Amino acid sequence: MSESDFLPEGTLRGLPGPLPAGERILWRGAPTLPGVLLRAFHARLVMLWFAGAATVLAIGAAASGGPARALAVVGPTLLIGLGALGLLTFLAWLVQRTTVYTLTDRRVVMHVGIALPITLNLPLTRIESADLRLFADGSGDLPLRLPPGERVAYLHLWPHARPWRVSRPEPMLRSVPEARSVAALLAPALAAHADGPTRIEEPAAIGARGGAAPGRLATAAAR
């Protein structure tokens, strides 16, 4: 039985319910697997750590017991490192598989979470600004700045949160493919609900001030 079996009829995966009349979906997507693995779980640093540990152990073992001793010590260390990398890859795959980002002409919806999925509903009227950080493969991060007082716990968001913004967490569309195109859709959608012009810059991207129109952030447990 899949998650879609529990959704009301006419509801797309990743949305809390059917779209209201007149609301249009502009884009739907999910993080890229390499982006989650390398930039959220920092797989490169893990590999470097185990490679460094193996090197240090090998030098010490070779000095005391020769090459045979060095190989006996390095082998298990590298195997543990490969196991850790495999576990991180599996977790990154779960994140990529269970995440759905949806942009409409009225809101951004983030369906995130592996064991305890949540659906975060962000009306465009309650998004102060958005940034764009592009990567070499064309993917990119789009963090969304919320007004003071509108908060979602950092641990509930991670890894879909802007790094190091713990006191004032910022939901983030992490490592979305073709991020420039997504930004080009998000900018005018924000501008339509803002009281000033919107422009896109790199790397800090989409400037848009939220207007005074009513809106509310809602986090709903997935069913």
Side-chain angles (χ1 to χ4, degrees):
M1 185 173 294
S2 65
E3 178 184 340
S4 59
D5 296 328
F6 297 93
L7 296 175
E9 185 176 354
T11 301
L12 293 173
R13 178 177 175 268
L15 293 177
L19 286 179
E23 185 173 3
R24 295 183 300 110
I25 291 178
L26 304 178
W27 172 83
R28 282 166 60 83
T32 64
L33 180 59
V36 176
L37 179 62
L38 299 178
R39 291 186 283 273
F41 293 132
H42 303 288
R44 290 192 189 96
L45 292 179
V46 173
M47 290 187 290
L48 287 174
W49 191 90
F50 277 101
T55 301
V56 172
L57 291 174
I59 293 173
S64 61
R69 175 63 178 168
L71 288 175
V73 171
V74 168
T77 303
L78 293 179
L79 286 177
I80 294 173
L82 289 175
L85 184 60
L87 178 60
L88 291 178
T89 302
F90 177 65
L91 290 175
W93 176 79
L94 287 177
V95 168
Q96 193 272 341
R97 183 176 180 273
T98 56
T99 298
V100 181
Y101 301 137
T102 304
L103 170 64
T104 78
D105 57 354
R106 299 180 185 177
R107 54 182 166 156
V108 175
V109 183
M110 301 172 63
H111 181 78
V112 301
I114 298 174
L116 297 173
I118 64 171
T119 300
L120 183 66
N121 187 62
L122 305 171
L124 297 180
T125 56
R126 304 303 295 161
I127 297 176
E128 282 195 342
S129 62
D131 294 333
L132 171 62
R133 182 185 180 190
L134 287 173
F135 301 108
D137 61 356
S139 66
D141 296 337
L142 288 96
L144 309 173
R145 187 174 179 83
L146 307 180
E150 299 280 13
R151 291 193 59 196
V152 184
Y154 187 89
L155 290 179
H156 288 172
L157 287 172
W158 192 89
H160 314 278
R162 189 172 190 166
W164 311 115
R165 302 296 175 93
V166 178
S167 61
R168 188 178 174 184
E170 297 182 17
M172 185 171 76
L173 309 184
R174 179 179 282 278
S175 190
V176 296
E178 300 180 2
R180 192 192 301 271
S181 299
V182 179
L185 294 172
L186 179 57
L190 284 174
H193 296 272
D195 53 11
T198 301
R199 60 181 182 151
I200 296 181
E201 299 176 352
E202 297 177 14
I206 312 168
R209 296 293 301 177
R216 185 178 63 171
L217 306 183
T219 304
R223 297 180 181 275

